[in-house]
Amino acid sequence: MSKLRTTISAQSRFLSTYDGAENLCLEEIYTENVLEIRTEVGLAGPPQKSPVTLGLEDLFSTHGHLNEDADAVLVVGEAGSGKSTLLQRMHLLWAAGRDFQEFLFVFPFSCRQLQCVVKPLSVQMLLFEHCCWPDLGQQDVFQFLLDHPNRVLLTFDGFDEFRFRFSDRERHCSPTDPTSVQNLLFNLLQGNLLKNARKLLTSRPDAVSAFLRKYLRLELHLKGFSEEGIELYLRKRHREPGVADRLIRLLKGTSALHGLCHLPVVSWMVSKCHQELLLHGGGSPKTTTDLYLLILQHFLLHASSADLVPHGLGSGLLRGRLPTLLRLGWLAVWGLGKCCYVFSAKQLQAAHIDREDISLGFLVHAKSVVPGGAATLEFLHITFQCFFAALYLVLSADLSPSLLRQLFNCHRPRGSLLARLLPPMCVPRSEGQEGSTAALLWEAEPHNLRITAAFLAGLLSREHGGLLAEGQVSEKALLQLQACARKCLSHSLHEHFHSIPQAVPGEAKSMHAMPGFMWLIRSLYEMQEERLARQAVRGLKVGHLKLTFCGVGPAECAALAFVLRHLRWPVALQLDHNSVGDLGVEQLLPCLDVCKALYLRDNNISDRGVCKLVEHALQSEQLQKLALFNNKLTDGCAHPMARLLACKGNFLALRLGNNHITAAGAQVLAEGLRANASLQFLGLWGNKVGDEGAQALAEALGDHQSLRWLSLVGNNIGSVGAQALALMLEKNVALEELCLEENHLQDEGVCSLAKGLERNSSLKVLKLSNNCVTYLGAEALLQALERNDTILEVWLRGNTFSPEEIERLSQRDTRLLL
């Protein structure tokens, strides 16, 4: 135990994931990411709350379990979202005795290294030979682990880089018998081996299958830095006076770059290149490709002699290092094709990588838990490997138009999401020789191929044409490749839209895009050509574009706005359950003019984002519906929302449920409602408006002529609020549905509402479930129903009725739903 703690402590103390040139003390630099429990949608029951946000110490929380009998906890996040660093921090806290002390043993593994193991392994061999070898009593130690599995934690970083797909077909239950490394890992995750030991794995979302989810106890989403997290990280990185302040001001004035920084790997790159960014002023990167070219320049300049340092990549710097970049690029392509992310000395030698190539800093020593293990190298990050692969493709003579089409091929049997998106014009698999670029690209993992394709699109943009010419790419070949890329991207977007079934007559066409669709949009954005974006969406008519659970962050929002603003017909854009945040809202503003509805449920949006949104919405003629429930809104959003209601004459629906709006916010919203004559749907469920808020809203809605649906579910409303709502019902002639479940109305409040119903002629549905109503309140409602022929349903489920009372009430009026 002491040896294990010492080994893990030594390995976790310094953060070198993104940089081999310097070691950063993890304790000084670590910044919390947004970590949320994955929520199940589509389940029956009360309105869902926002996803639970956790701290690192809550990784093994008792909340939100998917399967109580499972052992595995999964942390998913996009490439660069900080998954490896989160694990490293967890290891350090355990080794230092500061947290996770319920585990006596923690065994960390890297999936990219495990997949290189060829010989069969048993559980004992995995733990001792590939993590930490007990110097004495190996058998006794192993028996203790078997006897006390609940005190053991195994972590597996980078499950998406494990080239074997998860399967539960081959069962293996013996902890001492060897089996293949993939079978061993899969049976550990299922609980067939070391049952009740915790297994924590990280992965990108694309690699998580429905089969794997059956064996998950808990699934968590790592969503990257919040806006405050970006600022905190930069202040930790730059403690020199004024540097962090200048860098933060630069980011806040450059929304595209600021949006990219929600990924920690990008924040590190911005920090690394802070001198170049501050010197360039207005020339900040817009796209991911721009940023990676900047970091390439930074490393090349760092490796150049001080008196020969040129200005920018286009001043001979690239040409001078072209052989090195091609060698690194070929290694990247070969690695992607072979699903190899750590390289042995033999593999480096085969790629002709020499010490000078390594000294540039793009290859760093891979961490190995086993002391004395063979030294291996890896790229700074998987995104760097994809970038170098794309760079090789455009700088080498290997990239022909046919190979470019193969990269975007849409009919690959392995089921690449990009493959399914792109058109039949893309040629089928070319019969390249084994080990050729074409053959390697065919075998690459889809999620890595998407990143590579987006970089490739960026490198082929007009903006970087001069750079490629510097790399000795002929003008004729470059123009040919650019034209092919444009044609492929534009045609593929049309094919994706046209593959959707036609709309029902009289209804708008609806499209639910898959996560891979976003990479197509990102590729269009990376090219930064307005004409291409306009051509790609020309003639497309879709009424509803749904992008839920698609990993949409601020960078994706910028890409969406860049493309969708060229649509000729208005669209309802649904981005529920993503990571849009305030930064993403700002990125979406350019396409607001084509949005007739915007749905942003579960997106970590605060009052700051809403203020920016409303400011632009007031100038948008098309926008009529806004859904912002399950976010982080407070009374601070009420003033801009009231202004929206008062000033926008065609606004139809506002949903602000499950936020943090109190009576004060409701009173401000009520002022906006007084001046409004168009709103039809108002949702405020799951807030805290209380009696005072309900009174203010009721007074504003008494004479409202258009509102048809009002939800005040779960707002701590009592009898006083109910009395005000009853008076509103006596006056209002438009409201058709009133939802008041999960409050504290009791009999007194229900009796008041019953009096209001007697004089109401518009309400069709009244929902009063879970309000502590007894037979007395129900009797008052029955008397009101005798005088009201309009009402169709009164919901009374979850109240305090005996079975006999339920039977008796049901027989008296079937409109009571008990």
Side-chain angles (χ1 to χ4, degrees):
M1 287 167 60
S2 174
K3 182 179 181 181
L4 188 60
R5 284 184 186 271
T6 303
T7 302
I8 292 178
S9 177
Q11 291 199 333
S12 305
R13 194 168 299 278
F14 295 101
L15 179 65
S16 56
T17 306
Y18 299 149
D19 191 24
E22 60 177 332
N23 280 325
L24 305 171
C25 182
L26 184 66
E27 191 71 33
E28 296 177 1
I29 207 69
Y30 182 78
T31 306
E32 286 279 354
N33 286 6
V34 178
L35 185 66
E36 292 180 353
I37 295 179
R38 175 177 175 263
T39 54
E40 291 287 347
V41 295
L43 299 179
Q48 294 173 3
K49 297 293 183 182
S50 301
V52 179
T53 303
L54 304 177
L56 180 60
E57 66 280 0
D58 301 316
L59 270 176
F60 304 101
S61 163
T62 57
H63 305 293
H65 289 175
L66 302 172
N67 182 353
E68 291 286 351
D69 297 321
D71 301 331
V73 174
L74 171 68
V75 177
V76 294
E78 299 297 334
S81 59
K83 301 182 294 295
S84 299
T85 307
L86 179 139
L87 276 190
Q88 188 175 336
R89 174 67 172 169
M90 193 212 76
H91 294 153
L92 181 63
L93 291 175
W94 174 80
R98 290 162 55 189
D99 213 334
F100 307 105
Q101 296 308 292
E102 64 268 32
F103 303 112
L104 295 178
F105 300 87
V106 173
F107 295 96
F109 299 98
S110 164
C111 289
R112 59 165 52 181
Q113 292 187 344
L114 276 183
Q115 70 173 359
C116 299
V117 178
V118 177
K119 72 173 185 177
L121 295 178
S122 65
V123 174
Q124 184 171 354
M125 294 165 68
L126 174 72
L127 300 182
F128 293 169
E129 294 181 18
H130 292 271
C131 189
C132 188
W133 180 264
D135 295 325
L136 294 171
Q138 292 89 355
Q139 207 54 47
D140 292 338
V141 172
F142 187 61
Q143 190 59 50
F144 183 88
L145 298 178
L146 295 179
D147 292 342
H148 304 88
N150 59 313
R151 308 305 300 276
V152 178
L153 170 65
L154 284 71
T155 66
F156 299 95
D157 189 26
F159 186 73
D160 53 285
E161 295 175 348
F162 200 60
R163 68 174 177 267
F164 306 101
R165 299 281 72 83
F166 179 80
S167 170
D168 54 6
R169 293 179 182 176
E170 190 174 346
R171 198 174 182 87
H172 184 82
C173 302
S174 169
T176 54
D177 291 340
T179 185
S180 64
V181 67
Q182 67 267 31
N183 199 34
L184 183 68
L185 175 55
F186 297 162
N187 278 276
L188 280 167
L189 296 180
Q190 292 172 65
N192 297 329
L193 294 168
L194 284 185
K195 178 63 183 169
N196 294 326
R198 280 286 176 269
K199 295 96 180 182
L200 175 62
L201 64 158
T202 68
S203 176
R204 281 181 273 176
D206 291 348
V208 182
S209 66
F211 287 117
L212 177 60
R213 283 200 166 97
K214 290 195 302 183
Y215 301 101
L216 295 181
R217 184 179 186 87
L218 186 66
E219 182 174 342
L220 304 169
H221 283 197
L222 192 63
K223 296 195 168 186
F225 286 153
S226 63
E227 198 168 345
E228 294 76 17
I230 295 171
E231 184 172 335
L232 179 60
Y233 173 80
L234 292 176
R235 293 197 183 282
K236 287 184 175 183
R237 283 286 278 130
H238 300 282
R239 301 179 189 273
E240 315 93 301
V243 174
D245 290 332
R246 290 173 61 202
L247 199 50
I248 291 165
R249 279 198 303 271
L250 173 70
L251 288 181
K252 289 184 175 179
T254 318
S255 62
L257 182 58
H258 201 185
L260 292 172
C261 285
H262 84 285
L263 288 177
V265 66
V266 175
S267 287
W268 170 79
M269 292 165 68
V270 166
S271 171
K272 193 74 176 169
C273 299
H274 71 280
Q275 290 182 332
E276 292 92 331
L277 288 168
L278 293 173
L279 286 173
H280 281 122
S284 297
K286 279 186 177 180
T287 68
T288 306
T289 306
D290 293 342
L291 192 58
Y292 277 74
L293 285 171
L294 181 65
I295 198 84
L296 173 64
Q297 174 189 315
H298 175 88
F299 275 76
L300 293 182
L301 288 174
H302 184 73
S304 301
S305 302
D307 55 343
L308 296 176
V309 172
H311 299 286
L313 281 172
S315 304
L317 185 60
L318 186 67
R319 188 187 302 121
R321 290 287 186 171
L322 187 59
T324 293
L325 298 178
L326 287 172
R327 287 192 292 270
L328 289 171
W330 170 250
L331 180 69
V333 171
W334 181 87
L336 293 180
K338 298 294 183 181
C339 297
C340 178
Y341 312 104
V342 291
F343 306 100
S344 65
K346 185 178 179 181
Q347 291 167 336
L348 294 170
Q349 186 178 5
H352 307 291
I353 302 292
D354 57 28
R355 288 189 176 182
E356 186 178 351
D357 300 338
I358 296 171
S359 69
L360 283 182
F362 295 108
L363 290 172
V364 296
H365 286 285
K367 289 185 178 179
S368 175
V369 178
V370 184
T376 54
L377 295 180
E378 62 187 1
F379 281 92
L380 285 172
H381 189 261
I382 184 61
T383 54
F384 278 89
Q385 187 167 345
C386 295
F387 172 72
F388 270 95
L391 196 61
Y392 173 82
L393 291 174
V394 295
L395 293 179
S396 72
D398 283 1
L399 184 59
S400 62
S402 61
L403 183 55
L404 183 61
R405 295 186 191 104
Q406 180 189 322
L407 183 64
F408 294 107
N409 183 20
C410 54
H411 294 300
R412 288 174 58 180
R414 291 187 62 190
S416 156
L417 214 36
L418 255 188
R420 292 199 292 274
L421 290 177
L422 293 162
M425 61 161 279
C426 303
V427 297
R429 176 178 182 176
S430 58
E431 296 299 327
Q433 294 182 350
E434 185 177 354
S436 68
T437 305
L440 289 168
L441 288 177
W442 185 261
E443 297 299 329
E445 287 291 336
H447 39 261
N448 292 329
L449 202 59
R450 292 184 200 121
I451 300 174
T452 305
F455 278 131
L456 188 60
L459 291 169
L460 288 173
S461 66
R462 285 196 175 95
E463 184 176 349
H464 300 308
L467 176 65
L468 300 186
E470 183 72 23
Q472 299 179 346
V473 179
S474 73
E475 184 178 356
K476 181 180 178 181
L478 177 59
L479 290 173
Q480 190 179 19
L481 291 173
Q482 287 175 333
C484 181
R486 291 188 197 103
K487 185 178 180 182
C488 225
L489 288 170
S490 178
H491 194 79
S492 60
L493 192 62
H494 280 267
E495 285 293 316
H496 187 76
F497 275 90
H498 293 153
S499 67
I500 302 162
Q502 290 298 315
V504 176
E507 294 185 8
K509 188 172 183 177
S510 180
M511 168 187 157
H512 189 166
M514 294 293 105
F517 172 75
M518 280 310 309
W519 287 105
L520 183 59
I521 297 292
R522 283 291 296 269
S523 296
L524 284 165
Y525 178 69
E526 291 294 320
M527 293 202 80
Q528 283 293 295
E529 294 184 21
E530 295 278 353
R531 183 179 175 185
L532 174 61
R534 191 179 299 110
Q535 179 186 354
V537 298
R538 184 178 57 195
L540 299 178
K541 190 173 184 180
V542 59
H544 189 114
L545 178 57
K546 190 175 181 181
L547 287 161
T548 57
F549 290 108
C550 286
V552 177
E556 288 75 21
C557 288
L560 278 169
F562 183 79
V563 176
L564 297 183
R565 63 181 170 176
H566 297 293
L567 285 170
R568 295 181 183 179
W569 291 276
V571 63
L573 182 59
Q574 186 169 355
L575 294 170
D576 297 338
H577 306 288
N578 284 296
S579 308
V580 172
D582 295 339
L583 287 175
V585 168
E586 188 176 353
Q587 301 297 321
L588 285 172
L589 297 180
C591 75
L592 213 57
D593 287 340
V594 299
C595 291
K596 60 184 178 183
L598 186 58
Y599 304 94
L600 291 167
R601 171 184 183 179
D602 284 340
N603 270 290
N604 286 311
I605 297 168
S606 74
D607 299 339
R608 185 167 57 244
V610 165
C611 289
K612 294 177 182 177
L613 180 61
V614 169
E615 183 181 338
H616 281 73
L618 287 168
Q619 311 303 320
S620 170
E621 293 182 8
Q622 299 290 351
L623 189 66
Q624 296 180 316
K625 299 178 181 179
L626 197 55
L628 287 161
F629 48 103
N630 294 30
N631 280 291
K632 297 180 177 178
L633 307 184
T634 70
D635 292 336
C637 79
H639 284 284
M641 284 300 179
R643 186 171 167 227
L644 182 71
L645 292 172
C647 300
K648 193 162 173 52
N650 65 342
F651 199 66
L652 301 178
L654 179 63
R655 291 176 169 88
L656 300 173
N658 284 342
N659 281 289
H660 309 284
I661 298 168
T662 69
Q667 288 164 353
V668 174
L669 286 173
E671 292 302 315
L673 286 169
R674 291 181 194 277
N676 177 276
S678 63
L679 195 70
Q680 296 179 6
F681 302 89
L682 178 60
L684 289 168
W685 66 91
N687 282 287
K688 302 171 184 176
V689 304
D691 284 334
E692 289 184 26
Q695 282 179 299
L697 293 168
E699 290 169 8
L701 292 173
D703 297 322
H704 204 280
Q705 299 296 309
S706 62
L707 193 72
R708 302 201 317 243
W709 180 86
L710 173 63
S711 176
L712 292 170
V713 175
N715 266 283
N716 200 30
I717 298 170
S719 59
V720 175
Q723 289 171 11
L725 290 166
L727 292 174
M728 180 268 291
L729 288 177
E730 291 182 16
K731 300 177 185 178
N732 189 283
V733 294
L735 192 66
E736 296 179 1
E737 184 169 336
L738 177 60
C739 307
L740 294 171
E741 303 110 296
E742 312 282 343
N743 281 294
H744 307 290
L745 305 183
Q746 300 182 329
D747 290 337
E748 185 180 355
V750 170
C751 289
S752 297
L753 288 169
K755 292 178 182 178
L757 279 181
E758 292 180 6
R759 298 184 182 182
N760 182 275
S761 59
S762 65
L763 199 69
K764 296 178 180 177
V765 179
L766 176 62
K767 297 183 178 180
L768 301 172
S769 302
N770 299 308
N771 267 292
C772 302
V773 182
T774 70
Y775 194 84
L776 178 64
E779 185 67 41
L781 286 169
L782 283 170
Q783 292 176 18
L785 290 178
E786 291 176 2
R787 298 176 177 84
N788 188 315
D789 296 328
T790 309
I791 193 104
L792 302 177
E793 295 178 359
V794 177
W795 292 26
L796 286 170
R797 299 184 182 100
N799 286 297
T800 51
F801 304 123
S802 67
E804 295 78 16
E805 289 173 335
I806 291 175
E807 180 68 25
R808 198 179 315 141
L809 290 169
S810 299
Q811 290 176 357
R812 290 182 62 182
D813 198 316
T814 57
R815 290 178 291 177
L816 292 183
L817 302 182
L818 295 148

